[in-house]
Amino acid sequence: MRAKLPLRSGVRMMVSDKATLKVNRICSDVDEGSTVTDFLPAERARGITIQSAAVTFHWPPLSPISDDPIPVIDQLRSLTSHTINLIDTPGHADFTFEVLRSLRILDGAVCILDGVAGVEAQTEKVWQQANRYSIPRIIFVNKLDRDGAAFERTINEIGSRLGGTPALCQIPWWKDGKGRFIGVGDAVNLRGLKWTSGGDGRLISPVSLDELRKLEPAFAEEISRARTALIECLSEHDDAMVDKYLEHNEDYLAISPADIMESLRRCVLKGDGALIPVFTGASFRNIGVQPLLDAVVDLLPEPQERPDPEYTAEGSSGKLGDLCRGLDLASEQPAQLKGRKIHQKRPLKDLYDPQKFDACALAFKVVNDTRRGVLVYIRVYSGTVSRGSTLWNSTLQVPEKAFRLLQMQASDAIEVDSLHAGQIGVIVGLKFARTGDTLISYKGQHPARPPPQPLASLQLRPINVPPPVFFASMEPESLREEKHLQNSLDLLLREDPSLHLSTDEDSGQTLLSGMGELHLEIARDRLFNDFKAKAYMGKIEINYRESIIQFPTSPTVETFEREVNGQNVKASCTISLSEVESSSDPHLSQDSTKVTVHSTDPEATSTLLAFDPLPHLRTGALAALARGPSHGLPIHGIHVSIRISPSDLHIGETTPVSLTGAVRLATTKALRNAAVESGAALLEPVMRVGISVDEACLGAVVHDLASARGGVVESLDGTSDGEDSANHGSKRIDTKSIYAPKDPFGSTVVKGGGEVDGVVRNVVARVPLREMVGYLKRLRSLSKGRGTFVMQFERFDRVSGLREKRILEERQGGRSYD
């Protein structure tokens, strides 16, 4: 069984064993909003996939509808029925995390490309993650029945943008060379596959190469060229294919389809994306769907063919398969176990019994279903998870109970008794499990106690959550709704860890952040419609600061004297203001302010006062710094020095209240005088921004940062060589060496160089936070959707000129910046 990314959700086919393949299908359509795996109301209303959905089916079907054998040249895996766990994932950039957590648990993937749009930005990002997990994958070029389809350009973009060599297993079949799209040319089996017009994909007629030479000789010749290019491509990546080529006297057409499929499979199972089998079709008309599903079975791996999962436990790491067989444990000596929380006098075999290690699974998705409750999607990596078994959440160190197990068919479910290794399923009702948690089943485990070490702390590789890039404020309609909103947000964040919740300490706003505007819009709709939360979602409030331009040279003396609770209180102090010398001073507050106290005679001061004056003196200074003299904003970057002497204190009259009041008045007066003499400066938060963008768009992005957003570009560090590179894990491919049949409609293809090179550059800049609100949409526009960015707070900088005037006008008008 396998886990795959989908071709087109909601299509189930049964194939016969005859030369003409008959298809029974339950049809659903994205455009009509009836797709099986797009079952959320928001998905059907918008016509897009928002969350990943799982479907399990058999291919070929378990019960063939005919006993007549289909003619084949050699025996293939696709002639035996396999169980396929298919996961339909979103394509929109705002829902990248849905794809990432699905990639983490997959054995193989089918990457669907739009034959009109080519390799899009989100495809490159997901491909990079697939490289990271070394996932075997194939490509299906879809929508070739649409106007503007450009197969040749798309193939060249596969090489230039994805960094792998496209191995064309199929080429498009245009009627009479320039007509409508009617089928595919099979370069592996040297034949054409023609779908009957108007039959909606029900009938497939194989046409041999000899017949094609009579009917469409140009297309037959193109299939031969495709076979030659395929063998040459495989020979560069697989030595066994070179031997086969030599065995057949260097005759490209004589090599058997089975040998070609085995060579393709060896290359694909490496998982490095260096060679990419390419298939083609038009899924709306079911052209190319059946051969693609055959390729899924023939080329993509079964669970046991994937590398053994790695685990960490108690500071050590190893292979899960070795742990299940007890090999890791048997190889350890008592001296190596001293750091473990076990009794050293116990026999080594008593640490844990491999025979009792029932299962290990990874939770990769949590859904709050209105009918069934909390559904936790898991991938079982070893053993069997049984209904009613006790599970140990080794990530959270809590026990759980698997009361019910389900096998999902999108929104529908089938109850099952167990889930075996390699399967994807759902556990109903787990109270604590989150995305990325490891679940352990150990026979005989006490329901409230952990299993023996190292199982109790065993963790599979977690699922990384990308940082948020879009922010909005979230406030309840009333205090009565506050608790319900918080509970609803907790459920939403458990479902989608790419959403982040934080509280701004200055404004008190609750900030909800995510991967983009649409992401937060969908989150808002779920809060309001599914969880019935009553709240407002608005724009974030930028927290500004103020400071003084020139610091006074003379100290300020102030006396606090008044009646408090029927008692006369009195105290004096001297205040001096200066600039903070070092931003790395450990005594600085969050606003980079510092308060120091100097006593001219500490012994006399302690004799006169029956309490410690330091906390009260600091409180007074901080109270004054909380509101500036010009704009009422918190003060930033000022050092307040407080000096007290015995003459400032009065026995019986100097109290904590008087000391606090004296310092607050003196500090406020010093700030006000300094503002009147030299003026006050408005400060704004400045972010350190890292942007990854194609070199072709670099100029537009840098110009926008410097001119429109008031940013300062610090570095252009050249080509990216990490995960941000579109060619991560693979060499760059010269598009001149890529075979692709000419497009019959004269589409423009860039060969080598130009925008399709996909060279990624990293830009580091300092940009005001005000200008970064909503920047994601602008960056996508400038970079054709390929740009990404991360940012973190760096410091407060002074605002000057027209920008200061505009900010102050907006604050006075009560408007937030968009």
Side-chain angles (χ1 to χ4, degrees):
M1 61 198 70
R2 298 171 167 83
K4 315 290 189 232
L5 291 182
L7 164 68
R8 176 169 174 261
S9 48
V11 178
R12 293 185 297 177
M13 287 153 288
M14 298 183 67
V15 132
S16 77
D17 296 332
K18 295 197 302 185
T20 299
L21 308 179
K22 294 183 179 179
V23 179
N24 290 335
R25 58 193 294 273
I26 299 174
C27 184
S28 58
D29 188 80
V30 174
D31 300 325
E32 295 175 358
S34 58
T35 310
V36 173
T37 51
D38 292 340
F39 54 86
L40 293 178
E43 291 178 317
R44 299 196 166 183
R46 298 170 187 269
I48 62 173
T49 302
I50 293 173
Q51 69 173 18
S52 55
V55 174
T56 301
F57 64 95
H58 299 282
W59 187 265
L62 290 173
S63 300
I65 62 176
S66 172
D67 295 329
D68 298 333
I70 182 172
V72 293
I73 299 176
D74 289 284
Q75 192 75 8
L76 295 173
R77 289 175 176 80
S78 53
L79 296 179
T80 305
S81 183
H82 288 69
T83 301
I84 298 179
N85 294 305
L86 180 147
I87 298 181
D88 180 19
T89 61
H92 196 284
D94 282 13
F95 307 107
T96 298
F97 181 68
E98 284 291 322
V99 184
L100 298 186
R101 63 175 164 188
S102 298
L103 282 176
R104 168 63 183 83
I105 52 89
L106 293 180
D107 294 324
V110 179
C111 176
I112 311 299
L113 298 183
D114 186 333
V116 179
V119 177
E120 300 180 85
Q122 184 64 5
T123 305
E124 297 178 54
K125 297 173 186 175
V126 175
W127 196 267
Q128 295 162 20
Q129 292 294 327
N131 281 335
R132 177 185 177 190
Y133 293 123
S134 298
I135 294 177
R137 70 217 91 138
I138 61 179
I139 283 180
F140 181 78
V141 181
N142 194 22
K143 300 183 181 179
L144 291 184
D145 57 330
R146 295 193 176 185
D147 293 338
F151 184 73
E152 182 186 8
R153 186 201 67 215
T154 301
I155 296 303
N156 281 283
E157 288 182 353
I158 290 173
S160 63
R161 291 201 171 275
L162 303 184
T165 302
L168 270 63
C169 301
Q170 295 175 349
I171 59 174
W173 186 354
W174 315 97
K175 184 176 177 60
D176 299 325
K178 289 198 175 183
R180 59 184 175 81
F181 181 63
I182 59 173
V184 301
D186 186 347
V188 176
N189 295 290
L190 291 175
R191 63 181 178 176
L193 296 176
K194 185 177 181 180
W195 276 256
T196 303
S197 176
D200 195 20
R202 292 176 182 272
L203 299 176
I204 309 172
S205 300
V207 184
S208 68
L209 192 62
D210 292 336
E211 291 180 85
L212 282 173
R213 288 192 176 106
K214 300 175 184 178
L215 299 173
E216 295 197 30
F219 183 58
E221 184 63 27
E222 195 65 58
I223 291 178
S224 298
R225 282 196 292 268
R227 163 64 85 92
T228 300
L230 179 60
I231 298 301
E232 290 178 347
C233 180
L234 287 171
S235 299
E236 294 178 1
H237 295 82
D238 181 28
D239 293 338
M241 178 52 67
V242 177
D243 296 336
K244 291 292 182 182
Y245 174 65
L246 296 176
E247 284 177 16
H248 291 84
N249 298 319
E250 302 183 4
D251 185 354
Y252 295 103
L253 304 186
I255 301 174
S256 70
D259 289 335
I260 295 174
M261 293 302 288
E262 285 302 315
S263 179
L264 283 167
R265 182 177 175 83
R266 284 191 294 270
C267 294
V268 169
L269 293 190
K270 294 176 183 177
D272 56 6
L275 183 137
I276 311 168
V278 179
F279 300 83
T280 186
S283 62
F284 182 75
R285 304 182 187 279
N286 268 343
I287 297 177
V289 174
Q290 298 93 326
L292 177 67
L293 288 172
D294 287 341
V296 165
V297 176
D298 287 330
L299 300 181
L300 296 182
E302 299 189 19
Q304 62 269 24
E305 295 177 295
R306 295 288 288 141
D308 197 2
E310 296 181 356
Y311 74 90
T312 59
E314 299 185 298
S316 62
S317 61
K319 299 290 187 180
L320 184 61
D322 293 339
L323 190 67
C324 294
R325 294 187 293 270
L327 298 181
D328 278 8
L329 185 64
S331 65
E332 293 192 43
Q333 301 298 322
Q336 294 174 287
L337 299 171
K338 290 182 179 179
R340 294 188 174 182
K341 298 178 181 179
I342 57 175
H343 199 286
Q344 293 298 313
K345 294 184 179 180
R346 291 175 57 190
L348 195 61
K349 63 182 179 65
D350 291 343
L351 290 177
Y352 81 96
D353 185 353
Q355 300 297 322
K356 294 182 179 181
F357 187 9
D358 284 345
C360 179
L362 182 72
F364 69 94
K365 182 179 174 66
V366 179
V367 173
N368 186 61
D369 188 272
T370 54
R371 294 178 296 165
R372 304 183 184 95
V374 175
L375 307 180
V376 178
Y377 286 72
I378 64 168
R379 160 71 191 265
V380 183
Y381 280 98
S382 69
T384 300
V385 176
S386 302
R387 181 172 58 184
S389 60
T390 298
L391 301 175
W392 176 254
N393 188 325
S394 59
T395 306
L396 299 178
Q397 294 291 296
V398 293
E400 300 261 30
K401 191 77 171 179
F403 291 105
R404 295 172 60 200
L405 301 178
L406 303 177
Q407 188 178 82
M408 299 303 296
Q409 301 290 345
S411 59
D412 298 326
I414 301 172
E415 193 129 2
V416 295
D417 293 328
S418 60
L419 295 171
H420 304 284
Q423 281 190 307
I424 291 174
V426 164
I427 304 177
V428 181
L430 296 186
K431 296 181 179 180
F432 307 105
R434 311 160 305 174
T435 295
D437 286 356
T438 300
L439 303 175
I440 302 295
S441 177
Y442 189 77
K443 190 178 297 181
Q445 174 187 342
H446 190 283
R449 295 177 184 172
Q453 292 289 3
L455 302 186
S457 58
L458 184 150
Q459 291 188 34
L460 299 174
R461 181 167 58 171
I463 299 173
N464 295 324
V465 181
V469 295
F470 201 90
F471 306 83
S473 65
M474 180 67 66
E475 302 295 340
E477 287 187 356
S478 63
L479 289 177
R480 187 171 60 181
E481 296 292 333
E482 187 173 4
K483 184 176 181 181
H484 177 58
L485 175 62
Q486 184 61 49
N487 293 337
S488 300
L489 287 170
D490 290 342
L491 287 173
L492 194 62
L493 267 63
R494 187 184 177 193
E495 283 190 16
D496 187 356
S498 63
L499 290 170
H500 296 253
L501 197 66
S502 59
T503 301
D504 190 294
E505 296 182 359
D506 297 314
S507 64
Q509 283 186 311
T510 300
L511 301 181
L512 184 65
S513 52
M515 304 307 298
E517 186 175 8
L518 180 60
H519 188 202
L520 292 191
E521 188 178 327
I522 296 298
R524 179 199 63 193
D525 292 344
R526 292 216 59 201
L527 279 173
F528 296 170
N529 300 329
D530 297 348
F531 298 107
K532 308 301 180 184
K534 297 180 180 179
Y536 301 103
M537 180 176 281
K539 301 162 188 173
I540 67 170
E541 181 179 328
I542 306 296
N543 298 310
Y544 297 97
R545 298 289 187 269
E546 65 177 281
S547 186
I548 52 179
I549 297 175
Q550 292 184 358
F551 294 90
T553 56
S554 57
T556 301
V557 180
E558 187 67 24
T559 299
F560 180 89
E561 185 177 8
R562 64 183 61 179
E563 184 177 318
V564 178
N565 294 329
Q567 178 185 1
N568 291 326
V569 295
K570 183 178 180 181
S572 303
C573 68
T574 303
I575 295 294
S576 298
L577 301 181
S578 61
E579 186 177 5
V580 172
E581 295 180 356
S582 173
S583 59
S584 60
D585 191 329
H587 298 99
L588 293 181
S589 69
Q590 184 178 0
D591 279 321
S592 295
T593 56
K594 182 179 180 181
V595 178
T596 57
V597 179
H598 304 279
S599 176
T600 58
D601 191 344
E603 290 188 10
T605 300
S606 59
T607 302
L608 292 171
L609 299 178
F611 57 87
D612 183 5
L614 291 181
H616 309 290
L617 294 171
R618 294 181 187 276
T619 299
L622 294 175
L625 294 173
R627 186 175 179 82
S630 298
H631 310 298
L633 297 168
I635 296 294
H636 179 83
I638 288 183
H639 179 196
V640 179
S641 296
I642 306 171
R643 185 169 59 86
I644 59 173
S645 62
S647 60
D648 296 327
L649 308 177
H650 306 275
I651 298 178
E653 293 183 314
T654 298
T655 64
V657 173
S658 63
L659 278 178
T660 300
V663 173
R664 181 176 57 82
L665 290 177
T667 305
T668 301
K669 182 178 179 181
L671 291 171
R672 188 182 301 115
N673 292 339
V676 170
E677 293 177 5
S678 61
L682 179 67
L683 307 179
E684 65 178 343
V686 173
M687 314 300 288
R688 185 176 181 83
V689 183
I691 303 173
S692 296
V693 65
D694 280 1
E695 189 167 27
C697 307
L698 181 64
V701 171
V702 170
H703 180 268
D704 178 73
L705 287 173
S707 61
R709 303 187 181 275
V712 178
V713 177
E714 292 186 341
S715 71
L716 301 173
D717 65 355
T719 306
S720 171
D721 57 2
E723 287 183 8
D724 294 330
S725 174
N727 300 328
H728 172 63
S730 302
K731 64 180 182 179
R732 291 186 59 196
I733 305 301
D734 182 6
T735 55
K736 295 179 181 179
S737 65
I738 295 175
Y739 162 77
K742 296 292 182 183
D743 286 326
F745 308 111
S747 61
T748 302
V749 179
V750 180
K751 280 282 188 179
E755 286 190 16
V756 298
D757 278 349
V759 177
V760 177
R761 299 289 297 273
N762 291 328
V763 182
V764 179
R766 290 188 292 108
V767 187
L769 174 60
R770 182 178 188 271
E771 305 299 335
M772 294 303 296
V773 177
Y775 179 65
L776 179 63
K777 186 185 296 184
R778 176 61 175 165
L779 179 60
R780 287 176 178 172
S781 174
L782 291 172
S783 63
K784 300 178 182 178
R786 289 183 164 85
T788 60
F789 79 96
V790 293
M791 65 179 182
Q792 61 181 8
F793 173 77
E794 184 173 80
R795 65 188 186 193
F796 280 92
D797 272 355
R798 181 179 176 182
V799 183
S800 59
L802 294 176
R803 292 188 69 252
E804 179 178 2
K805 181 180 179 182
R806 197 167 75 185
I807 291 172
L808 294 176
E809 288 177 351
E810 288 173 354
R811 286 183 55 82
Q812 292 171 359
R815 299 192 305 271
S816 296
Y817 178 72
D818 184 8

